[in-house]
Amino acid sequence: QIADDPIANAEKEVRDWAKQKASEINTLKEQAQFRKEFLSNISHEFKTPLFATQGYIETLQDGLIDEDPDIAKNFLEKASRNLDRLSYLIQDLDEISKLESGIIALTIEKFDVVKLIKECMEDLEGKASGSNIQIKYKGKANHPIFVKADRKRIQQVLINLIDNSIKYGRRNGHTSISIYPLFEQILIEVTDDGLGIEEKNLPRVFERFYRTDKSRSREIGGSGLGLAIVKHIIEAHEQNVNVRSTEGIGTTFGFTLVPAKNV
Ligand code: ADP
């Protein structure tokens, strides 16, 4: 009957239009709120290392610790570490804004992911041995596994995950990297026996700027963007990333890739 009633029809149209507009307004409000939080996060993340650096330099300029060259050296090192943190933060921000705006197109190629894993392990060997952490590849050493993906970006994923396993690992600990062929996918896992992540924090670790136990993570250093970048890259490949962890026991991050026929 309503279909024949022009007034009822018009009213329905108006109601639908209002609903549509209300939903658009909600989306705009959410975006505005998101931008506000994002900016306040960024400025907070920048202020901390910037003010710390200023503090160390001012104390050195005041000449208060001139008599003790060890303290002066230590202050310089701390200032330098904080500047490094700023520089990583800028690089990561740049990366994430490019990934989010979709400016970066993936360059998909066939490559041996085992070789890439070994290169990443080598790149981080110095850092790992600094904490006496052993990194092991669990698969067959000379058995190449070819995948179709953006090599540079997957390198970044591996570096971020292995780097985290060292940062949040324990002294004399182990990081292992495993590959499992699944049905039409390859699963790569990076496992550590470090701090672990509380269950309630697990769903949030991929969020930008999210860092568990602030003081501890801050001391360890990082931008809080590494895992957000990992998630973006893997999702851009239409693949999955996941995490499981037990506090005090260790953490495993896993991601999938598309296999390519061996060449
Ligand atoms: P960050 O720069 O802080 O390392 P990430 O995005 O890489 O940023 O990680 C977000 C947070 O997740 C970290 O601050 C840390 O609290 C937690 N985290 C990441 N990897 C691990 C891990 N392997 N073990 C324990 N906690 C981790």
Side-chain angles (χ1 to χ4, degrees):
Q1 280 152 324
I2 286 177
D4 299 334
D5 181 343
I7 293 175
N9 277 343
E11 275 174 352
K12 185 176 179 305
E13 247 173 58
V14 170
R15 272 200 307 275
D16 286 349
W17 179 85
K19 239 194 242 166
Q20 165 80 16
K21 285 293 155 201
S23 132
E24 280 173 24
I25 288 167
N26 258 342
T27 311
L28 286 174
K29 272 187 188 160
E30 274 169 22
Q31 283 172 352
Q33 177 66 18
F34 173 81
R35 268 197 291 271
K36 216 169 110 190
E37 277 172 23
F38 190 58
L39 281 176
S40 108
N41 272 335
I42 292 178
S43 54
H44 174 79
E45 292 296 321
F46 272 83
K47 269 184 209 157
T48 316
L50 199 59
F51 289 173
T53 310
Q54 265 175 347
Y56 292 126
I57 289 175
E58 275 165 20
T59 314
L60 286 166
Q61 279 175 329
D62 288 346
L64 294 178
I65 47 179
D66 275 355
E67 308 89 67
D68 193 334
D70 282 345
I71 298 185
K73 190 166 167 255
N74 178 266
F75 269 44
L76 275 176
E77 277 165 11
K78 282 185 171 152
S80 163
R81 262 210 307 279
N82 276 282
L83 284 182
D84 281 348
R85 192 161 128 60
L86 269 180
S87 138
Y88 290 135
L89 196 57
I90 291 166
Q91 275 173 31
D92 282 354
L93 266 177
D94 190 38
E95 183 67 23
I96 208 152
S97 69
K98 278 186 199 152
L99 283 165
E100 287 192 352
S101 58
I103 290 175
I104 294 177
L106 297 179
T107 311
I108 303 291
E109 54 179 320
K110 272 186 198 177
F111 63 91
D112 174 12
V113 72
V114 176
K115 187 163 169 248
L116 183 66
I117 289 172
K118 284 185 196 147
E119 284 169 13
C120 295
M121 285 167 60
E122 268 171 36
D123 289 347
L124 287 167
E125 215 164 62
K127 188 167 181 179
S129 64
S131 305
N132 225 359
I133 288 178
Q134 274 186 25
I135 313 179
K136 272 203 180 120
Y137 171 61
K138 290 272 195 121
K140 282 188 220 150
N142 294 316
H143 180 75
I145 295 176
F146 288 90
V147 295
K148 265 196 238 167
D150 186 322
R151 192 177 191 281
K152 272 223 141 60
R153 307 240 158 245
I154 299 304
Q155 178 180 31
Q156 197 175 0
V157 165
L158 282 163
I159 293 279
N160 284 359
L161 294 182
I162 301 171
D163 187 45
N164 277 353
S165 80
I166 300 167
K167 284 196 305 196
Y168 307 107
R170 63 176 170 84
R171 278 196 82 80
N172 307 319
H174 302 83
T175 291
S176 59
I177 301 154
S178 314
I179 297 195
Y180 306 97
L182 306 177
F183 184 66
E184 293 190 343
Q185 269 178 327
I186 282 171
L187 171 66
I188 298 177
E189 286 193 340
V190 179
T191 300
D192 65 62
D193 52 5
L195 296 180
I197 302 166
E198 255 186 290
E199 196 172 337
K200 69 171 190 331
N201 295 327
L202 273 181
R204 302 199 57 195
V205 291
F206 293 104
E207 289 174 20
R208 291 186 207 84
F209 297 116
Y210 185 79
R211 313 187 75 199
T212 68
D213 185 347
K214 297 268 175 199
S215 58
R216 193 148 191 192
S217 296
R218 190 130 293 141
E219 212 173 277
I220 289 170
S223 65
L225 293 171
L227 289 176
I229 290 174
V230 164
K231 188 164 189 268
H232 263 290
I233 293 176
I234 297 303
E235 287 183 350
H237 283 79
E238 297 181 346
Q239 294 297 300
N240 319 99
V241 56
N242 64 62
V243 56
R244 53 182 196 275
S245 184
T246 312
E247 241 194 314
I249 304 275
T251 306
T252 296
F253 282 93
F255 64 95
T256 56
L257 287 176
V258 179
K261 285 212 174 72
N262 285 14
V263 284

